[in-house]
C-alpha cells in the first residue's frame, strides 16, 4: 500500500516546494504572478530556474523540457540535458532563467494551418507559471504556451489562458456591481475520463485498432452491456493493478485522481480527478491520458482512448465539469442569502445566454472523427446543444419567466425578500444523463467532449462566450447601486431567460421527438464534423474571439484549417486501413473458407457419391454470395476513396468523406460483419469482440 500523503505531489515544483526553496522575495513575486497575473522579470526567473534545477537534480532529473500542446491535441516534449561541459573536461549542470522562460523547439512539423508559412517559420515556447513544473521519467517538464514569433498562438493552451483572462476581467466588473472587491476569478474544471482496457494480445492482432484506435470491423458480442453488470462492478485484478500504479504515478505528479470505477460497457473504465483551475485541470488531464497509455503495457494491457473503439458498445466521453470561482467562492453555487442568490441568478442567466448564443460554436469544439460516432448515437448527448436545469431550478426559472409566484422555498426571493433559494443538493437524483449541458448543483457538466480530446477548445469557447454575457450585463448595470441595481439586475435576469429559454430542455435528449422539437426551436443540429466546423469561421464566431482578444481572425482561420485537415487525414487513414484489411485479410480468408467447403463437398462426393451434400452446398452459396458482396463493397469504397483524393478544397473533401465515403465504409463493414458469424473462428483473421471485450 502506498503512503499517499508522502508521495502526493512529490514530483511537482508546487507552492509548498517554492516556499521552501525560494528566497522570500522571489517567492512573493512569483506568487503575485501566479495569483494576480503580474508579469515576471528575468531576474526572478533566474532565481526560480536555479531552485527548480537543484530540486529536479535531487529528484534524479537529468533533462528538462518545455512541455506544450501543439494543435495535434496531444502534448509534445523535446528533452535537453542540464549537462554543461567545461573546458577542463568536467561538466556542470546548468539551467538559466532564460531557458526556463523561453524555448525554441523546431516547430516546422507541427500543424499550423498555414500560419508559419505566412509568418515566421519558427515557433517558441513560453513558460506558463500558472501550471506547476513536474518531473516525469527523469525529465523536468515545464508547462509552456507555444506561439509563432509574431505572437500567433500555435497551441491549445494560449487561447485558453486568454479566455481565462477575459472571464476574470468581465466577472470582476459584474462582482463590482455587487460591491465586491477585485479578486482573481477563474474557471474550474473537473474532467472525468473514460477509457477501455483490453489485452495486448488481442490488440496486436488487429491492424484497425493499432492504426486507427478503433475496430473498423467486428460483429457485436453475444453479450453486450444489457446485464448492466459491469457498471461499478468489482474491478478485475489485472485492471486493479493497473489502476493502483496509475494512481501512484498521478499522485506523485500532483494529479488529484480521486474516483475510479468500471463503466457501463464491458472493458470500459473511468477516472475522475478533483477539479482544479481550467488550465491546470487540462494539463493534468493530458498527463493522466499519457500515463494511462504508457502504464497499461506494464500489465499486458492496452488503453484505448478513442471515442468509439467498438461498434454497438458504448463509446467513451470526457465529462467537462465547469464552474467559475472567485477566490474561495463558487459563483455557480446558489448561495445562502438573497444577495448571493441574486448573483447566482445573474450568473445563471449569463450561462444560459452564452450557451444559446454560441451553441453551434460550442458543438464545433467537440467535433472530431471519433466523436462523430458518439454524439447522437443514443449513448451520449445528441449533437444538439441544450441546457438541463433540473426540476427545482427549472421551476424557479419558469416562475421568473412567467412572472408568476413560485411557491417553493424561493417564494419570497422573487421579490427580493429575505428567504433564500433552496440549496441544490449536490447529489440530487433527477440527473439527466441525456443532456449535453447539465446543471449539477453548483457547476455545469458539459458531456459532449470525446474521450480523446484536449479540453482546451471547449473551455476556451465556454469561457469566452461567458465573458461576453458578463460583459453585456456589466455594461447595462455599471453605475447603478443599491436597490436600483437589484431591481435592474432582476429585470435583466428575467429578460435574458425569456430571450434564451429555447436552449433549456429537461426532457429525454435521446428521443426522436427532441430532434423535431429542437428544429422547431431553431436549435442547431450539426451531425458530423464536416457540418460542424464551418461555424468556427463564421463572422459571429470571429467577432467573439476578436472582441476578447482570444483568437485573431488569422488564428481562427488557421485552426479551422488544422481541424479540417485532421478530420480528412483520419478518415483517409481509416479508409486505407479498411481497404488493406479487406484485401489482405478478409477477402482471402473468406475465399479460402469457401474453397475449403468446396473441397469438402468434393471429397464427400468422391467418398460416397450417394450422400447428399445439400447443407454444405447451401452454406457455400451463402459464403460465396457474401464474398461477392464484400468485393463489390470494396470496389465501391476504393473508387470513392480515390475520387476524394483529387478534391483540393479541404471543406469539400471533408464533406465528401462525411457524406459519401463513410456510408460506403459502413456498408463494407456490414458485409464483413455478416460473414463473421458464419465463418468458423479458426478461419477468421482477427479476434472477435467476444474475445476482445470479455477477458480476465
Ligand atoms: P458528480 O456526482 O456530479 O459526478 P462529483 O462531485 O463526483 O459529482 O464531481 C464530478 C467531477 O466534477 C469531479 O471531477 C469534481 O472534481 C468536479 N467538480 C466538482 N465541483 C466542481 C467545480 N466547482 N468546478 C469544476 N468541477 C467540479
Ligand atoms: Mg459526473
Amino acid at each position: 500500500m502506498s503512503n499517499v500523503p508522502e508521495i502526493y505531489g512529490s514530483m511537482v515544483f508546487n507552492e509548498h516546494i517554492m516556499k521552501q526553496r525560494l528566497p522570500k522575495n522571489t517567492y512573493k513575486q512569483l506568487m503575485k504572478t501566479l495569483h494576480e497575473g503580474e508579469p515576471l522579470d528575468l531576474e526572478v526567473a533566474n532565481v526560480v530556474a536555479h531552485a527548480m534545477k537543484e530540486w529536479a537534480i535531487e529528484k534524479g532529473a537529468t533533462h528538462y523540457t518545455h512541455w506544450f500542446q501543439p494543435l495535434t491535441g496531444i502534448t509534445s516534449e523535446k528533452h535537453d540535458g542540464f549537462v554543461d561541459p567545461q573546458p577542463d573536461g568536467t561538466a556542470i549542470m546548468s539551467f538559466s532563467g532564460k531557458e526556463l522562460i523561453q524555448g525554441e523547439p523546431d516547430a516546422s512539423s507541427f500543424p499550423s494551418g498555414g500560419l508559419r508559412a505566412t509568418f515566421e517559420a519558427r515557433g517558441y515556447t513560453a513558460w506558463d507559471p500558472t501550471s506547476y513544473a513536474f518531473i516525469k521519467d527523469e525529465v523536468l517538464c515545464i508547462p509552456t504556451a507555444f506561439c509563432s514569433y509574431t505572437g500567433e498562438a500555435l497551441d491549445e493552451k494560449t487561447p485558453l489562458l486568454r479566455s481565462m483572462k477575459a472571464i476574470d476581467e468581465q466577472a470582476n466588473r459584474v462582482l463590482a456591481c455587487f460591491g465586491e472587491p477585485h479578486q482573481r476569478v477563474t474557471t474550474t474544471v473537473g474532467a472525468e475520463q473514460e477509457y477501455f482496457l483490453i489485452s495486448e494480445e488481442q490488440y496486436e492482432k488487429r491492424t484497425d485498432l493499432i492504426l486507427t484506435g478503433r475496430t473498423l470491423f467486428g460483429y457485436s458480442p453475444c453479450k453486450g452491456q444489457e446485464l448492466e453488470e459491469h457498471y461499478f462492478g468489482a474491478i478485475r485484478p489485472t485492471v486493479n493493478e493497473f489502476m493502483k500504479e496509475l494512481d501512484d504515478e498521478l499522485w506523485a505528479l500532483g494529479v488529484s485522481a480521486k474516483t475510479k470505477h468500471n463503466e457501463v460497457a464491458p472493458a470500459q473504465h473511468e477516472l475522475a480527478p478533483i477539479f482544479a483551475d481550467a488550465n491546470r485541470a487540462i494539463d493534468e488531464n493530458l498527463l493522466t491520458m499519457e500515463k494511462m497509455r504508457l502504464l497499461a503495457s506494464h500489465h499486458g494491457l492496452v488503453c484505448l482512448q478513442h471515442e468509439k473503439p467498438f461498434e454497438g458498445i458504448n463509446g467513451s466521453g470526457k465529462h467537462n465539469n465547469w464552474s467559475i470561482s472567485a477566490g474561495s467562492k463558487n459563483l455557480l453555487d446558489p448561495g445562502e442569502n438573497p444577495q448571493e442568490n441574486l448573483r447566482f441568478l445573474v450568473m445563471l442567466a449569463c450561462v444560459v445566454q452564452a450557451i444559446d448564443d454560441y451553441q453551434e460554436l460550442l458543438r464545433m469544439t467537440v467535433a472530431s472523427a471519433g466523436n462523430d460516432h458518439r454524439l447522437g448515437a443514443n449513448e451520449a448527448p445528441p449533437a444538439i446543444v441544450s441546457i438541463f436545469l433540473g426540476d427545482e431550478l427549472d421551476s424557479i426559472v419558469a416562475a421568473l419567466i412567467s412572472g408568476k409566484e413560485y411557491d417553493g422555498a424561493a417564494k419570497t426571493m422573487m421579490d427580493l425578500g429575505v428567504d433564500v433559494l433552496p440549496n441544490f443538493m449536490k447529489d440530487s437524483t433527477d440527473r439527466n444523463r441525456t443532456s449535453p449541458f447539465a446543471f449539477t448543483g453548483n457547476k455545469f457538466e458539459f458531456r459532449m467532449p470525446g474521450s480523446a480530446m484536449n479540453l482546451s477548445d471547449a473551455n476556451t469557447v465556454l469561457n469566452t462566450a461567458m465573458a461576453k454575457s458578463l460583459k453585456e450585463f456589466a455594461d447595462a448595470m455599471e453605475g447603478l447601486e443599491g436597490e436600483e441595481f437589484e431591481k435592474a439586475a432582476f429585470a435583466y435576469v428575467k429578460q435574458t431567460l425569456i430571450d434564451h429559454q429555447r436552449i433549456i430542455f429537461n426532457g429525454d435528449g435521446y428521443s426522436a421527438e427532441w430532434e423535431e422539437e429542437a428544429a422547431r426551436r431553431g436549435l442547431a443540429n450539426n451531425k458530423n464534423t464536416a457540418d460542424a466546423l464551418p461555424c468556427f469561421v463564421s463572422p459571429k464566431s470571429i467577432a467573439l474571439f476578436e472582441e476578447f482578444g482570444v483568437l485573431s481572425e488569422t488564428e481562427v482561420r488557421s485552426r479551422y484549417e488544422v481541424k479540417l485537415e485532421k478530420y480528412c487525414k483520419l478518415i483517409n487513414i481509416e479508409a486505407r486501413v479498411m481497404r488493406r484489411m479487406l484485401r489482405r485479410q478478409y477477402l482471402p480468408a473468406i475465399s479460402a473458407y469457401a474453397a475449403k467447403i468446396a473441397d469438402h463437398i468434393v471429397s464427400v462426393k468422391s467418398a460416397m457419391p450417394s450422400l447428399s451434400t445439400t447443407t454444405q452446398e447451401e452454406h457455400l452459396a451463402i459464403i460465396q454470395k457474401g464474398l461477392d458482396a464484400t468485393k463489390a463493397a470494396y470496389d465501391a469504397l476504393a473508387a470513392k476513396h480515390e475520387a476524394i483524393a483529387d478534391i483540393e478544397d479541404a471543406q469539400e473533401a471533408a464533406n465528401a468523406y462525411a457524406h459519401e465515403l463513410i456510408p460506403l465504409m459502413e456498408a463494407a463493414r456490414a458485409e464483413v460483419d455478416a460473414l463473421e458469424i458464419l465463418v468458423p473462428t479458426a478461419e477468421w483473421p482477427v479476434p472477435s469482440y467476444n474475445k476482445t471485450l470479455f477477458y480476465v
Side-chain angles (χ1 to χ4, degrees):
M1 212 168 55
S2 20
N3 182 345
V4 184
E6 198 172 290
I7 60 169
Y8 195 87
S10 57
M11 289 302 188
V12 185
F13 196 72
N14 54 26
E15 285 183 34
H16 177 74
I17 301 291
M18 292 176 195
K19 195 165 187 178
Q20 263 180 15
R21 296 207 164 229
L22 294 174
K24 245 199 183 120
N25 244 346
T26 314
Y27 174 73
K28 253 198 203 151
Q29 292 221 12
L30 189 58
M31 287 306 114
K32 276 204 169 139
T33 302
L34 254 63
H35 300 303
E36 289 155 43
E38 280 198 10
L40 197 81
D41 63 45
L42 188 58
E43 234 166 86
V44 177
N46 273 326
V47 181
V48 177
H50 179 75
M52 231 186 228
K53 178 199 73 184
E54 295 294 306
W55 168 81
I57 290 171
E58 279 170 35
K59 296 269 177 194
T62 53
H63 289 68
Y64 71 93
T65 182
H66 277 197
W67 189 71
F68 62 104
Q69 303 164 31
L71 297 176
T72 52
I74 52 170
T75 56
S76 288
E77 45 193 79
K78 175 192 77 169
H79 305 167
D80 279 305
F82 289 125
V83 64
D84 183 2
Q86 300 298 298
D88 65 357
T90 60
I92 58 167
M93 299 293 255
S94 77
F95 182 53
S96 69
K98 199 170 159 286
E99 287 166 312
L100 168 63
I101 291 183
Q102 190 166 320
E104 226 182 274
D106 177 7
S108 47
S109 295
F110 293 112
S112 77
L115 263 188
R116 272 189 319 270
T118 344
F119 297 93
E120 176 61 64
R122 294 167 78 88
Y124 73 92
T125 49
W127 181 31
D128 164 24
T130 59
S131 190
Y132 300 139
F134 55 90
I135 297 170
K136 184 168 66 86
D137 299 325
E138 302 181 357
V139 178
L140 170 67
C141 299
I142 301 151
T144 54
F146 177 42
C147 300
S148 77
Y149 262 104
T150 37
E152 271 77 22
L154 294 172
D155 68 346
E156 302 273 354
K157 188 192 267 275
T158 306
L160 176 74
L161 291 174
R162 292 175 183 161
S163 75
M164 289 174 76
K165 184 162 170 268
I167 220 167
D168 181 22
E169 279 166 17
Q170 301 305 329
N172 264 298
R173 289 179 62 204
V174 172
L175 291 176
C177 296
F178 284 90
E180 297 198 25
H182 193 277
Q183 54 206 300
R184 182 100 195 264
V185 174
T186 175
T187 46
T188 49
V189 166
E192 300 168 52
Q193 178 74 44
E194 290 180 341
Y195 60 97
F196 279 85
L197 284 177
I198 61 166
S199 87
E200 230 162 22
E201 205 188 326
Q202 308 307 328
Y203 175 81
E204 281 164 4
K205 292 182 187 146
R206 297 208 60 139
T207 321
D208 46 3
L209 272 180
I210 296 173
L211 295 178
T212 72
R214 75 181 186 103
T215 52
L216 299 172
F217 301 93
Y219 195 84
S220 309
C222 299
K223 167 169 132 176
Q225 56 208 43
E226 63 273 32
L227 296 177
E228 292 167 352
E229 60 192 353
H230 194 252
Y231 191 54
F232 284 16
I235 299 172
R236 58 169 84 91
T238 36
V239 171
N240 217 0
E241 283 307 309
F242 159 81
M243 286 180 169
K244 277 193 213 160
E245 190 186 358
L246 179 65
D247 275 342
D248 282 352
E249 291 250 346
L250 291 177
W251 289 334
L253 289 166
V255 176
S256 52
K258 170 87 173 161
T259 313
K260 51 186 178 183
H261 60 80
N262 285 351
E263 256 302 328
V264 174
Q268 192 186 31
H269 313 279
E270 178 181 305
L271 182 149
I274 294 175
F275 68 96
D277 78 72
N279 180 33
R280 277 248 303 282
I282 290 171
D283 283 355
E284 290 183 4
N285 176 248
L286 291 167
L287 261 180
T288 302
M289 290 171 74
E290 178 185 315
K291 284 289 172 196
M292 281 176 172
R293 289 192 302 267
L294 298 177
L295 296 179
S297 68
H298 293 180
H299 306 272
L301 299 168
V302 174
C303 174
L304 304 176
Q305 292 171 346
H306 191 283
E307 280 83 1
K308 192 74 175 179
F310 304 99
E311 187 112 334
I313 299 287
N314 268 10
S316 299
K318 175 147 55 195
H319 293 173
N320 186 86
N321 293 274
W322 175 86
S323 191
I324 308 170
S325 71
S328 57
K329 286 190 299 281
N330 178 351
L331 298 181
L332 290 179
D333 194 313
E336 280 165 10
N337 59 56
Q339 179 77 4
E340 288 176 6
N341 286 173
L342 181 58
R343 190 184 65 202
F344 167 73
L345 288 179
V346 168
M347 289 293 157
L348 177 70
C350 286
V351 172
V352 170
Q353 179 189 353
I355 304 303
D356 184 29
D357 278 345
Y358 296 100
Q359 45 173 294
E360 247 190 298
L361 187 57
L362 192 58
R363 191 267 175 264
M364 182 285 298
T365 65
V366 295
S368 74
N371 216 19
D372 282 355
H373 298 282
R374 262 183 86 239
L375 299 180
N378 281 9
E379 55 165 62
I384 308 160
V385 175
S386 67
I387 301 181
F388 169 81
L389 294 178
D391 290 344
E392 212 162 14
L393 190 52
D394 194 49
S395 32
I396 292 170
V397 166
L400 271 168
I401 288 177
S402 66
K404 287 204 193 95
E405 287 255 315
Y406 168 68
D407 50 3
K411 185 167 179 255
T412 34
M413 170 60 206
M414 294 296 124
D415 38 70
L416 296 174
V418 284
D419 264 2
V420 295
L421 281 174
N423 225 328
F424 300 99
M425 296 297 289
K426 260 190 123 181
D427 54 352
S428 59
T429 45
D430 59 345
R431 287 295 194 73
N432 183 334
R433 311 306 302 183
T434 67
S435 174
F437 200 79
F439 184 68
T440 52
N442 60 358
K443 62 184 188 287
F444 281 93
E445 187 169 336
F446 183 36
R447 304 200 178 109
M448 290 173 100
S451 49
M453 285 178 175
N454 180 318
L455 288 174
S456 297
D457 282 352
N459 285 290
T460 299
V461 167
L462 279 175
N463 295 347
T464 314
M466 185 64 182
K468 168 104 176 149
S469 317
L470 292 168
K471 180 175 185 233
E472 282 179 15
F473 176 83
D475 287 347
M477 297 295 138
E478 267 167 1
L480 303 178
E481 274 176 17
E483 212 170 299
E484 201 189 355
F485 161 69
E486 287 179 356
K487 276 214 173 91
F490 204 72
Y492 188 99
V493 167
K494 184 175 167 175
Q495 192 56 48
T496 307
L497 292 173
I498 291 173
D499 293 346
H500 298 282
Q501 56 181 311
R502 65 170 184 168
I503 198 78
I504 299 170
F505 176 65
N506 288 295
D508 179 5
Y510 293 177
S511 68
E513 295 84 67
W514 169 232
E515 240 188 285
E516 290 162 22
E517 164 71 15
R520 276 194 296 275
R521 294 189 189 190
L523 301 178
N525 186 3
N526 294 323
K527 296 198 172 173
N528 56 56
T529 303
D531 295 349
L533 291 182
C535 161
F536 199 6
V537 286
S538 69
K540 183 175 164 183
S541 306
I542 293 173
L544 174 73
F545 289 125
E546 292 209 311
E547 180 174 357
F548 294 94
V550 170
L551 289 169
S552 66
E553 178 167 355
T554 318
E555 287 171 327
V556 171
R557 292 197 180 281
S558 70
R559 265 151 220 267
Y560 163 71
E561 287 299 325
V562 170
K563 281 179 189 287
L564 271 179
E565 242 175 55
K566 185 171 178 185
Y567 176 75
C568 291
K569 281 178 182 166
L570 284 174
I571 305 292
N572 182 39
I573 292 171
E574 286 193 353
R576 249 194 244 149
V577 173
M578 201 164 208
R579 286 174 60 182
R580 185 82 50 99
M581 286 177 82
L582 280 166
R583 213 173 47 226
R584 305 200 47 184
Q585 291 191 293
Y586 291 111
L587 288 170
I590 299 162
S591 178
Y593 178 55
K596 220 169 178 174
I597 312 170
D599 289 347
H600 185 72
I601 294 171
V602 172
S603 61
V604 170
K605 281 241 187 274
S606 71
M608 255 181 108
S610 63
L611 280 185
S612 154
T613 50
T614 319
T615 304
Q616 291 94 321
E617 282 165 33
E618 275 173 12
H619 190 51
L620 176 59
I622 293 171
I623 299 292
Q624 189 58 43
K625 202 169 154 220
L627 180 65
D628 293 345
T630 307
K631 174 63 171 48
Y634 168 83
D635 289 340
L637 171 66
K640 179 57 75 183
H641 184 208
E642 275 151 33
I644 296 178
D646 294 333
I647 302 178
E648 269 179 31
D649 181 81
Q651 180 69 56
E652 274 175 35
N655 294 345
Y657 279 127
H659 301 290
E660 296 169 41
L661 190 74
I662 288 179
L664 293 177
M665 289 169 67
E666 281 165 2
R669 175 188 188 136
E671 296 298 348
V672 172
D673 290 358
L675 285 167
E676 180 176 337
I677 43 166
L678 297 177
V679 176
T681 312
E683 314 285 334
W684 202 244
V686 300
S688 66
Y689 274 20
N690 275 342
K691 187 143 191 172
T692 311
L693 288 166
F694 298 92
Y695 62 96
V696 280

